[in-house]
Amino acid sequence: MKKVIIDPVTRIEGHAKITIYLDDTGQVSDARFHVTEFRGFEKFCEGRPLAEMPGITARVCGICPVSHLLASAKAGDRILAVTIPPAAAKLRRLMNLAQIIQSHSLSFFHLSAPDFLLGMDSDPSKRNVFGLIAADPELARGGIRLRQFGQEIIELLGGRKIHPSWAVPGGVREPLSGEGRTHIQNRIPEARTTILNALALFKRLLQDYEREAQTFGNFPSLFMGLVTPEGLWENYDGYIRFVDSAGNIIADKLDPTRYQEFIGEAVEAWTYLKFPYYRPLGYPSQKDHCRIDSGIYRVGPLARLNVCSHIGTPLGDRELQEFRDRGKGTVTSSFFYHYARLIEILASIEKIEILLDDPDLLSNRLRADAGINQLEGVGVSEAPRGTLFHHYKVDENGLILKVNLVIATGQNNLAMNRTVAQIARHFINGSEIPEGMLNRVEAGIRAFDPCLSCSTHAVGQMPLHIELVGVDGTVVDEVWRN
């Protein structure tokens, strides 16, 4: 069997490579997305006190520390067996909305916009944020300012933009100040204008990327996310809902703390990233990891917009309707993750504007004090990339015995493998490796905005080594790019 190796994959968070397998006729038979680094957070948290877990697990990632902070604190709430004060819940929700804005802004404006604005086939050495600044400085500046808006809210609440030690089991440490609320309110008009302009631009560009929309992860799967009891878009609390590609609700009002009843986890020898799947419908055949199987599901912005009935804000619902009209109902193409991120930024801005009028945000009743009342707890929240589960077991003294983290990127793992195969099958035919295919395979992975660790992003021309290997092990074609 021949294979194509793309190593490393650039403009994602972390380190990975892709192997594309070809049969004797040069057709793509399989594809694998390898995560080549190991972090070990689940293991080295063992023995730590419960109170330290939000601060420790926030260090899982420098891009989405708030997501782990909040999911960890919520797991701690369950172990303390407390209902946190209303003010604390609203403040956590405010920080999570800010986290969605800053993370989605990074993904769209800094990591993916170079593909759209400069072209999938443009020079890799210029297809990055610096090339974007040169080509469209106003768009680049708007993206920087929009991400700054989200980070400022996080800093006003938690005291720092990255890794705030703020949410704790039982509540939060500090309220929002009156001055902080005024500052956020003053920034909202600019943020709203920026995202509306970005949405208008992306919708204009869609006509140039019809082929990508058809080949970037456009296949049937399930979609999963949190919704309110009424089925509205949710990001902090609520129930789990699964829908299929036809929009049918196949499971609803599932208790997220009982995730093990409907989510199974598999492992493979060729990657450190786990493979969650919808347990009632089973794990895909191990003989073909890219096979379309009903156990595959997707999470994140695309899934959240597919599972909710409405967003619940005027502009957000208007954009959601147009989004669904373009997809004729449920949107199955992973290329539209980018579109969904922009809609979620807009919805988050609207939700923040409404939330800022709540007097509870300035309250000092922020924390419920209690000891260890349960020996197990699950905290669930919507991270920018999808539903995040923190599952802890403790002893009577509150020392951690076991940790299981079900990360959004892992839940998209089967879908990412399928996406790579679909793109490769469309662009590879024979032993030649089209340059445009390599860029599009990477762009297909970036659509999911995978978050693999806390490492930095590559800038400039990517180092790349691709091999086509024959059945007898002979290298029939090889490309180096340093």
Side-chain angles (χ1 to χ4, degrees), residues 71 121 127 175 290 326 338 344 370 451 465:
D121 299 303
R127 195 177 59 246
C290 297
R326 288 175 181 270
H338 304 297
E344 286 201 326
C451 195
H465 180 204

Side-chain angles (χ1 to χ4, degrees), residues 219-288:
F219 53 83
S221 77
L222 302 179
F223 297 91
M224 187 197 83
L226 290 176
V227 293
T228 70
E230 300 77 28
L232 293 176
W233 179 78
E234 180 57 281
N235 65 86
Y236 172 74
D237 217 343
Y239 296 97
I240 292 289
R241 172 181 285 179
F242 282 88
V243 302
D244 64 17
S245 295
N248 301 308
I249 298 174
I250 66 167
D252 201 13
K253 294 190 175 179
L254 299 175
D255 181 353
T257 67
R258 301 170 69 90
Y259 73 96
Q260 290 178 311
E261 295 178 2
F262 49 86
I263 294 177
E265 295 182 84
V267 295
E268 299 290 349
W270 42 269
T271 179
Y272 284 117
L273 193 60
K274 292 186 288 188
F275 290 84
Y277 60 95
Y278 182 56
R279 187 182 291 277
L281 297 178
Y283 185 62
S285 167
Q286 293 189 19
K287 294 181 179 179
D288 183 357

